[in-house]
Amino acid sequence: MPMNDKTIKVDYLARVEGEGSVYVKIKNNEVADVKFKVFEPPRFFEAFLRGRRYSEAPDITARICGICPVAYQMSSVHAMENAFGITVDGPIRDLRKLLYCGEWIESHVLHVYMLHAPDFLGYEDVIQLSKDHAAVVQKALKMKKIGNELMTLLGGREIHPINVRVGGFYKVPTKKELAPMVEKLKWLRDAAVEMVRWSASLPFPELEQDYEFVALRHPEEYPFNEGRLASNKGLDINVKEYEFYFQEEHVPYSNALQSVLKERGPYHVGPLARFNLNFERLTPTAKELAHEVNFLPTVRNPFKSIIARSIETLYASEEALRIIEGYEPPGQPSVDVVPRPGLGFGCTEAPRGILYHRYRISEEEMITDAKIVPPTSQNQRSIEQDLRSVVVKNISMPKDQLTWLCEQSVRNYDPCISCATHFVTLELEKESSRIS
Amino acid sequence: MNASKPKVAIYKFASCDGCQLSLLDAEEELLAIAGAVDIAYFPEASRRMMRGPYDIGLVEGSVTTPHDVERIRAIRKECRMLITIGACATAGGIQALRNWKDVKDFTRIVYANPEYISTLDRSLPIGSFVHVDFELRGCPINKMQLVEVVLATLHKRKPNIASHSLCVECKLKGNVCVMVAKGTFCMGPVTHVGCGALCPAYQRGCYGCFGPMESANTASLAKHSTDNGGSDIDVKLAFRSFNAYAEAFRRESDAHE
């Protein structure tokens, strides 16, 4: 029997944000070991957030991730507002969603076409892909640019926007400033319809996993900034109960903590989870298209997350259009903020899934404690489970091909390793403080 | 692949990935750049990783582990021109806030399993370890400046990147000065130009993400703040952020400790 034993190693996983590797050991035709390792050095954000002003949290936590800074800004401002008993609604709430739409669009288009699609079509990167599919790539770049333009218009720039504050914005756009986006977003909506059809036509490896999908769920809306945490296996909790239900574990080979649902194990967050749990809240166009391409809940093939990202790109373009067309500027760019000491919780839907923040604020308006759980930490266990299943299913595949398929399996999650590594310190500190 | 094309490598150290993402965010220029150079090593974008030597190395991120020290020395040897991009690579980044902690005590308390994680006492810029040919500032960098630096390097000329204060750019844009008109604290007078004077245009004070300008008079700005009711702690926090370990800002924040 050929190849009883082999080791699959990807020392530096490409087309993901940050530094990670894959290790799979096969012995006697069985999978002996699977590791998704994160070797990116930790940056200790929670540690140095202590002693900073509450108002600095959106700008500082944005620096955890250059790909999804708005997610960090949104989770942090909602956590602070929760601590201070503030609710933001009306046009400011809409503008936050609009900014988030911009981030979903640029992040999803980046991942679908530049990071993920090359795997399905057998190219090493988007530059190689563009040699044979120039029109597709040029269109993708134009789509991505519209997402970035939305972020620049509302946030000042697309990476680490400067306009978000606790309570709202520093400055809000006029109707006239938003108006030029309408035609662009209409074009984007049409392009996203094609994107859904195109992504649904890709060749998908077979794999069905019995995931527990976790996402925010809101009574009326597809979730961005608000909602309860729900799953397809009965979870339905308030965001502030997060730490009663989820815990982080430290494994020796990774600089990122791995989250699990207590007594239940791994779970899956991100576009596929949001889609499966919130299908009814999509726009009629998006739902109709999902029917057309036969992509309906509950989808359990992780490779098909690329279709969920495409549908969400369509959703975000329609939602952005709706917000702009109904926009009336608020009287003030932000609501009044009266800080008070206490605890605040925030959880929003980053492009890659739920992003949880918790802060304690002192009398002096300083952060005394911070906890941040990014989506990629939460998906690590599911990633490892998928790797195991993929290898078991394809154990006789030539090693080069199987290695590439393993890489593709990790990229199904659009993992952001830069996000995932900054969280070691706090957990260890907490453990040691429990001991002492 | 064309053998005559200059080879470019893009490396990551401790960072948020935002500065290298700027390259992918240069949507209109990306395919032109990819046509003009051979992007030979760019793990964030490609699984194709060609061996060096390279003509240009772009480095994002700060050095925070013993392994990184060895890595940057090896990278210097394989790159003819080495360009650092962003506040992490040029000043140690936001993670340099650890440089003020007593890391020895911190490590003892924190690491129940110290063998899992290897980290240095300080987060330092690339230039602390190897010679750097050009430093591009910003948290994040300005993508058009990145395109300019790459083009200039390819044509063997000096990049056309200004190094004066943000105030000059702000005046040229015709912004109303937030410090004069509203009394808002603004780092503009001491901050390196490059972002497009964004914050004042959005009615807030600059928070210094491009780091200190050349010969910044930080003491004068700090005095202006404290004379107008600002506290020492606010001055300290203002200088101790995304470019905290850049010398001018480091000195000023220490003076308000």
Tab-separated table of all heavy atoms in Angstrom, chain A residues 319-340:
chain	number	residue	atom	x	y	z
A	319	GLU	N	-27.998	47.317	1.378
A	319	GLU	CA	-28.223	47.986	2.661
A	319	GLU	C	-27.602	49.391	2.618
A	319	GLU	O	-28.202	50.358	3.100
A	319	GLU	CB	-27.623	47.130	3.790
A	319	GLU	CG	-27.822	47.654	5.193
A	319	GLU	CD	-29.289	47.745	5.630
A	319	GLU	OE1	-30.182	47.283	4.892
A	319	GLU	OE2	-29.520	48.311	6.723
A	320	ALA	N	-26.409	49.497	2.029
A	320	ALA	CA	-25.754	50.804	1.921
A	320	ALA	C	-26.615	51.753	1.080
A	320	ALA	O	-26.807	52.920	1.436
A	320	ALA	CB	-24.367	50.644	1.303
A	321	LEU	N	-27.162	51.224	-0.018
A	321	LEU	CA	-28.041	52.036	-0.867
A	321	LEU	C	-29.272	52.513	-0.100
A	321	LEU	O	-29.646	53.689	-0.159
A	321	LEU	CB	-28.520	51.205	-2.053
A	321	LEU	CG	-27.756	51.329	-3.355
A	321	LEU	CD1	-28.311	50.326	-4.359
A	321	LEU	CD2	-27.841	52.749	-3.923
A	322	ARG	N	-29.868	51.589	0.639
A	322	ARG	CA	-31.070	51.926	1.407
A	322	ARG	C	-30.759	53.051	2.403
A	322	ARG	O	-31.518	54.012	2.532
A	322	ARG	CB	-31.567	50.683	2.154
A	322	ARG	CG	-32.901	50.855	2.862
A	322	ARG	CD	-33.211	49.715	3.836
A	322	ARG	NE	-32.293	49.645	4.969
A	322	ARG	CZ	-32.347	50.429	6.046
A	322	ARG	NH1	-33.282	51.352	6.136
A	322	ARG	NH2	-31.462	50.292	7.019
A	323	ILE	N	-29.625	52.931	3.088
A	323	ILE	CA	-29.269	53.933	4.101
A	323	ILE	C	-29.029	55.290	3.444
A	323	ILE	O	-29.528	56.320	3.899
A	323	ILE	CB	-28.030	53.472	4.911
A	323	ILE	CG1	-28.409	52.279	5.801
A	323	ILE	CG2	-27.477	54.613	5.761
A	323	ILE	CD1	-27.232	51.585	6.465
A	324	ILE	N	-28.286	55.291	2.352
A	324	ILE	CA	-27.964	56.573	1.703
A	324	ILE	C	-29.233	57.227	1.161
A	324	ILE	O	-29.449	58.429	1.302
A	324	ILE	CB	-26.918	56.372	0.589
A	324	ILE	CG1	-25.573	55.998	1.227
A	324	ILE	CG2	-26.782	57.624	-0.272
A	324	ILE	CD1	-24.480	55.669	0.244
A	325	GLU	N	-30.111	56.422	0.560
A	325	GLU	CA	-31.317	57.003	-0.035
A	325	GLU	C	-32.277	57.568	1.014
A	325	GLU	O	-33.006	58.515	0.728
A	325	GLU	CB	-31.995	55.986	-0.963
A	325	GLU	CG	-31.164	55.841	-2.245
A	325	GLU	CD	-31.645	54.760	-3.214
A	325	GLU	OE1	-32.423	53.867	-2.811
A	325	GLU	OE2	-31.221	54.812	-4.375
A	326	GLY	N	-32.227	57.040	2.229
A	326	GLY	CA	-33.131	57.558	3.258
A	326	GLY	C	-32.452	58.496	4.241
A	326	GLY	O	-33.023	58.864	5.271
A	327	TYR	N	-31.230	58.903	3.938
A	327	TYR	CA	-30.424	59.626	4.933
A	327	TYR	C	-30.842	61.077	5.140
A	327	TYR	O	-30.995	61.836	4.195
A	327	TYR	CB	-28.954	59.571	4.494
A	327	TYR	CG	-27.988	60.342	5.381
A	327	TYR	CD1	-27.756	59.955	6.696
A	327	TYR	CD2	-27.305	61.457	4.888
A	327	TYR	CE1	-26.864	60.657	7.494
A	327	TYR	CE2	-26.408	62.160	5.686
A	327	TYR	CZ	-26.189	61.761	6.992
A	327	TYR	OH	-25.311	62.456	7.778
A	328	GLU	N	-31.029	61.449	6.393
A	328	GLU	CA	-31.158	62.853	6.790
A	328	GLU	C	-30.109	63.080	7.864
A	328	GLU	O	-30.107	62.375	8.875
A	328	GLU	CB	-32.557	63.137	7.371
A	328	GLU	CG	-33.691	63.119	6.355
A	328	GLU	CD	-33.576	64.237	5.317
A	328	GLU	OE1	-32.958	65.288	5.611
A	328	GLU	OE2	-34.095	64.040	4.193
A	329	PRO	N	-29.210	64.051	7.701
A	329	PRO	CA	-28.126	64.217	8.677
A	329	PRO	C	-28.666	64.483	10.085
A	329	PRO	O	-29.681	65.167	10.241
A	329	PRO	CB	-27.361	65.440	8.164
A	329	PRO	CG	-27.762	65.594	6.745
A	329	PRO	CD	-29.147	65.029	6.619
A	330	PRO	N	-28.008	63.940	11.101
A	330	PRO	CA	-28.424	64.202	12.477
A	330	PRO	C	-28.061	65.633	12.873
A	330	PRO	O	-27.179	66.244	12.249
A	330	PRO	CB	-27.600	63.197	13.282
A	330	PRO	CG	-26.368	62.950	12.459
A	330	PRO	CD	-26.801	63.096	11.024
A	331	GLY	N	-28.719	66.168	13.894
A	331	GLY	CA	-28.414	67.517	14.356
A	331	GLY	C	-26.991	67.625	14.887
A	331	GLY	O	-26.313	68.627	14.695
A	332	GLN	N	-26.538	66.572	15.566
A	332	GLN	CA	-25.188	66.528	16.135
A	332	GLN	C	-24.490	65.286	15.603
A	332	GLN	O	-25.134	64.262	15.428
A	332	GLN	CB	-25.270	66.402	17.671
A	332	GLN	CG	-25.898	67.592	18.380
A	332	GLN	CD	-24.981	68.807	18.383
A	332	GLN	OE1	-23.754	68.666	18.380
A	332	GLN	NE2	-25.559	69.999	18.351
A	333	PRO	N	-23.147	65.369	15.389
A	333	PRO	CA	-22.458	64.171	14.877
A	333	PRO	C	-22.349	63.044	15.905
A	333	PRO	O	-22.109	61.895	15.534
A	333	PRO	CB	-21.071	64.690	14.492
A	333	PRO	CG	-20.900	65.972	15.219
A	333	PRO	CD	-22.266	66.545	15.436
A	334	SER	N	-22.537	63.383	17.192
A	334	SER	CA	-22.528	62.296	18.187
A	334	SER	C	-23.471	62.651	19.326
A	334	SER	O	-23.802	63.814	19.523
A	334	SER	CB	-21.111	62.056	18.723
A	334	SER	OG	-20.725	63.110	19.567
A	335	VAL	N	-23.915	61.630	20.058
A	335	VAL	CA	-24.763	61.888	21.223
A	335	VAL	C	-23.868	62.297	22.392
A	335	VAL	O	-22.664	62.040	22.383
A	335	VAL	CB	-25.616	60.658	21.607
A	335	VAL	CG1	-26.485	60.211	20.455
A	335	VAL	CG2	-24.730	59.500	22.073
A	336	ASP	N	-24.460	62.943	23.396
A	336	ASP	CA	-23.677	63.337	24.571
A	336	ASP	C	-23.225	62.094	25.324
A	336	ASP	O	-24.010	61.172	25.527
A	336	ASP	CB	-24.517	64.219	25.502
A	336	ASP	CG	-24.779	65.581	24.857
A	336	ASP	OD1	-23.963	65.986	23.993
A	336	ASP	OD2	-25.796	66.211	25.206
A	337	VAL	N	-21.974	62.116	25.737
A	337	VAL	CA	-21.421	60.972	26.458
A	337	VAL	C	-21.076	61.405	27.882
A	337	VAL	O	-20.283	62.323	28.076
A	337	VAL	CB	-20.151	60.440	25.750
A	337	VAL	CG1	-19.496	59.332	26.580
A	337	VAL	CG2	-20.499	59.930	24.359
A	338	VAL	N	-21.732	60.778	28.851
A	338	VAL	CA	-21.379	61.029	30.246
A	338	VAL	C	-20.802	59.732	30.812
A	338	VAL	O	-21.538	58.796	31.125
A	338	VAL	CB	-22.618	61.466	31.074
A	338	VAL	CG1	-22.213	61.802	32.509
A	338	VAL	CG2	-23.308	62.649	30.405
A	339	PRO	N	-19.465	59.664	30.912
A	339	PRO	CA	-18.844	58.426	31.377
A	339	PRO	C	-19.201	58.136	32.826
A	339	PRO	O	-19.439	59.055	33.614
A	339	PRO	CB	-17.338	58.707	31.260
A	339	PRO	CG	-17.216	59.916	30.413
A	339	PRO	CD	-18.469	60.708	30.610
A	340	ARG	N	-19.273	56.866	33.155
A	340	ARG	CA	-19.454	56.463	34.546
A	340	ARG	C	-18.684	55.165	34.754
A	340	ARG	O	-18.474	54.410	33.791
A	340	ARG	CB	-20.941	56.296	34.886
A	340	ARG	CG	-21.613	55.194	34.113
A	340	ARG	CD	-23.117	55.150	34.385
A	340	ARG	NE	-23.697	53.914	33.840
A	340	ARG	CZ	-24.973	53.772	33.534
A	340	ARG	NH1	-25.833	54.762	33.710
A	340	ARG	NH2	-25.424	52.625	33.069
